[in-house]
Amino acid sequence: MYKSEYLNRIYESVVKKCPGEKEFINAVEEFLDSMEYLVKVDPSIEKNAILERLVVPERVFQFRVPWMGDDGKIHVNTGYRVQFNSAIGPFKGGIRLDESVNLSIIKFLGFEQIFKNSLTGLPMGGGKGGSDFSPIGKSDNEVMRFCQAFMTELFHFIGPDTDVPAGDLGCGAREIGYLYGMYKKLTKEHTGVLTGKGLSFGGSLARTEATGFGLAYFTSEMLKTYKNDSFKGKKVIVSGCGNVAKHAALKVHELGATVVAMSNIQGYFYDENGLDVYAIKEISDRTINIIEEYTKLYPNTKSGENKHDIWKIKCDIAMPCATQNEINLDDAKELVKNGCMILAEGANMPTELDAIRYLMKNGVIFSPGKASNAGGVAVSGLEMTQNAEHLSWTFEEVDNKLKDIMKSIFNLCYETAKKFNEPENLSLGANVAGFLKVKDAIIREGLV
Ligand code: 2IT
């Protein structure tokens, strides 16, 4: 499958050792694609068994999370923390709380996080955690009891200089608050052990907005560099309605674009003349019945239940910000047919591999989540710095640093891709640039 015998060996070993872990295997496959040239010209990679060491997590924890429902019934979920790679800094990555969570998904996310965190330029290794618990439909008290039970296990493995979790899908400010409270009680320490905290107990301004805003800043750089253009007058689809999507929608609107369609777990909704992104933010902050509430406000809004249909709507820029595998090959064909010119991922791996290949072959410039959604973890890194110096920076200070970081991630990916004579191949740029720093650290730190 690969030209390199070494890459084939790595891929086969992962398939053999991780049967059924399709998301993780996909993430490795996509990454190895970008290593073809590098392993040929740099023998130190194979000599030091760098890829062998990269595809195996340093540590994996799996634990039972028993908690009691409001009705007095006992529930049992499974908790995970995958400490994937700490070559360049303490493990860092979110906690996903969703029914779909399994070891494969946490490993895929942790693997991606290694390169994403490296691209930010901040000293953070890659990790991820989560549970097959979904806060949707649970009471506040149930969510609290789950988070407390989860932390009574997790606290053994984390620390402000060891492993610093944060939020992800299903794990927002409320959950981080409960997790942090229990960590503090168990350790008697007020430290920056989690990011995405509330502003009253060590959180950073602009962390909530960071992933969505960062995605918009990154895409602005794409527009400027490749098209000598900007968001002004562009039609944009932003899938999702969560933290990433709503802030991406707000920022691209502020930059002059029209958001024509969005979606949530119930389906998608659209208005060719533009959605009211402020109303969407207000509604999605308080309820999950977004489509129902929004169409009450704007009765002319169209909607549908099949989420794949959102990609049939005409747009200049597509920003998938919901979850993994939301764009398949058929969706990619629709986007190309309708003249979409840029696809920038806000979620982690929302585009399937054959869809990515099709888009790139057909002139759509593609940016992988590990580059374009790195703004979230970047501001998490800035939250760690603020906690370490016991200070809080202003919104503007953090936002300006975020802008600089997204610009430098774009430039790093672009310049790296250019060296391979593939200036539009940001996947290649992101994988190679993210990898090189980690590789250097692994070699220098010796066989550990
Ligand atoms: O996917 C991601 O980068 C995140 N969920 C954020 C991780 C973090 O540590 O802020």
Side-chain angles (χ1 to χ4, degrees):
M1 190 166 63
Y2 298 100
K3 285 184 212 116
S4 147
E5 190 265 325
Y6 176 45
L7 294 183
N8 281 322
R9 195 150 29 88
I10 298 296
Y11 181 73
E12 274 150 30
S13 78
V14 171
V15 171
K16 196 166 152 201
K17 262 193 259 185
C18 314
E21 295 184 5
K22 67 176 188 328
E23 294 85 1
F24 175 56
I25 292 169
N26 270 349
V28 171
E29 185 184 353
E30 190 267 345
F31 168 75
L32 293 181
D33 246 5
S34 301
M35 292 291 112
E36 272 307 354
Y37 179 73
L38 218 54
V39 293
K40 212 164 70 185
V41 298
D42 181 358
S44 79
I45 298 173
E46 187 168 356
K47 184 167 153 254
N48 290 285
I50 299 294
L51 297 179
E52 287 87 333
R53 291 199 257 168
L54 260 183
V55 298
V56 179
E58 286 181 34
R59 262 167 239 109
V60 175
F61 301 103
Q62 187 170 330
F63 44 91
R64 183 175 62 211
V65 189
W67 56 278
M68 193 164 284
D70 289 342
D71 57 3
K73 286 206 179 106
I74 293 170
H75 300 261
V76 181
N77 288 100
T78 305
Y80 304 90
R81 186 72 185 166
V82 173
Q83 298 184 334
F84 226 113
N85 192 290
S86 65
I88 66 170
F91 303 103
K92 181 85 196 85
I95 291 174
R96 176 168 292 196
L97 300 180
D98 190 67
E99 272 159 20
S100 68
V101 164
N102 55 33
L103 185 60
S104 169
I105 289 184
I106 300 301
K107 278 175 70 180
F108 123 62
L109 291 164
F111 184 71
E112 294 279 290
Q113 203 80 39
I114 304 171
F115 311 105
K116 184 195 304 195
N117 294 3
S118 166
L119 287 170
T120 65
L122 301 172
M124 300 183 288
K128 200 86 187 188
S131 176
D132 56 352
F133 167 89
S134 168
I136 296 171
K138 310 285 194 304
S139 73
D140 249 3
N141 278 329
E142 288 179 320
V143 170
M144 180 172 77
R145 285 194 294 273
F146 168 83
C147 289
Q148 291 179 336
F150 186 84
M151 187 51 87
T152 56
E153 279 298 325
L154 185 70
F155 93 102
H156 293 293
F157 319 127
I158 63 176
D161 294 308
T162 311
D163 182 353
V164 183
D168 192 76
L169 216 129
C171 184
R174 175 183 58 171
E175 289 75 15
I176 292 291
Y178 294 147
L179 290 165
Y180 188 73
M182 184 49 88
Y183 179 86
K184 189 162 63 71
K185 184 180 172 74
L186 292 167
T187 59
K188 306 190 290 312
E189 274 178 9
H190 229 308
T191 61
V193 71
L194 291 164
T195 58
K197 297 183 292 297
L199 296 177
S200 53
F201 55 99
S204 173
L205 283 162
R207 175 62 188 89
T208 312
E209 295 82 356
T211 317
F213 280 19
L215 172 65
Y217 299 147
F218 188 95
T219 313
S220 289
E221 294 301 314
M222 292 173 78
L223 279 158
K224 195 162 74 186
T225 305
Y226 294 115
K227 307 282 178 190
N228 194 22
D229 207 339
S230 74
F231 268 113
K232 281 210 180 70
K234 301 292 176 301
K235 285 190 190 296
V236 183
I237 298 176
V238 182
S239 67
C241 249
N243 192 43
V244 181
K246 63 187 161 195
H247 292 107
L250 282 170
K251 186 52 83 176
V252 302
H253 172 80
E254 196 186 305
L255 295 172
T258 303
V259 177
V260 290
M262 293 184 75
S263 60
N264 77 346
I265 49 168
Q266 284 141 353
Y268 70 103
F269 55 113
Y270 68 106
D271 184 340
E272 280 97 348
N273 297 316
L275 295 169
D276 179 345
V277 293
Y278 301 101
I280 292 166
K281 156 104 173 69
E282 188 275 318
I283 296 168
S284 64
D285 280 348
R286 62 179 161 80
T287 174
I288 57 163
N289 295 323
I290 299 165
I291 302 183
E292 193 186 312
E293 296 261 331
Y294 187 84
T295 44
K296 257 191 237 158
L297 210 57
Y298 292 99
N300 292 333
T301 313
K302 294 172 209 139
S303 62
E305 278 175 16
N306 182 350
K307 274 179 273 172
H308 285 283
D309 287 347
I310 194 173
W311 308 114
K312 290 184 180 156
I313 298 164
K314 195 170 162 47
C315 72
D316 303 301
I317 298 162
M319 292 177 149
C321 296
T323 188
Q324 71 267 14
N325 300 338
E326 31 166 332
I327 299 184
N328 60 28
L329 182 59
D330 288 338
D331 304 327
K333 286 181 181 164
E334 293 289 342
L335 286 166
V336 169
K337 200 175 77 194
N338 283 326
C340 172
M341 58 176 174
I342 284 178
L343 188 151
E345 292 187 334
N348 291 313
M349 229 165 69
T351 322
E352 292 179 6
L353 205 50
D354 50 359
I356 297 176
R357 289 181 183 135
Y358 183 86
L359 291 166
M360 289 174 58
K361 220 183 265 160
N362 287 280
V364 179
I365 306 178
F366 171 82
S367 159
K370 69 187 79 160
S372 41
N373 78 24
V377 75
V379 172
S380 276
L382 302 179
E383 183 172 328
M384 288 167 73
T385 308
Q386 292 169 76
N387 292 161
E389 60 178 20
H390 302 282
L391 288 174
S392 320
W393 304 340
T394 63
F395 188 97
E396 207 185 8
E397 235 173 318
V398 180
D399 192 34
N400 282 335
K401 284 189 166 60
L402 170 65
K403 257 182 230 165
D404 287 346
I405 291 173
M406 296 317 292
K407 211 170 164 168
S408 90
I409 296 175
F410 173 78
N411 285 330
L412 184 59
C413 297
Y414 175 62
E415 292 301 329
T416 308
K418 253 189 359 194
K419 282 190 194 139
F420 290 86
N421 286 324
E422 293 188 48
E424 292 187 355
N425 193 343
L426 291 174
S427 286
L428 178 67
N431 283 332
V432 170
F435 167 78
L436 285 176
K437 182 172 167 189
V438 177
K439 181 205 85 160
D440 183 70
I442 292 176
I443 294 177
R444 283 163 186 265
E445 288 172 18
L447 191 54
V448 289

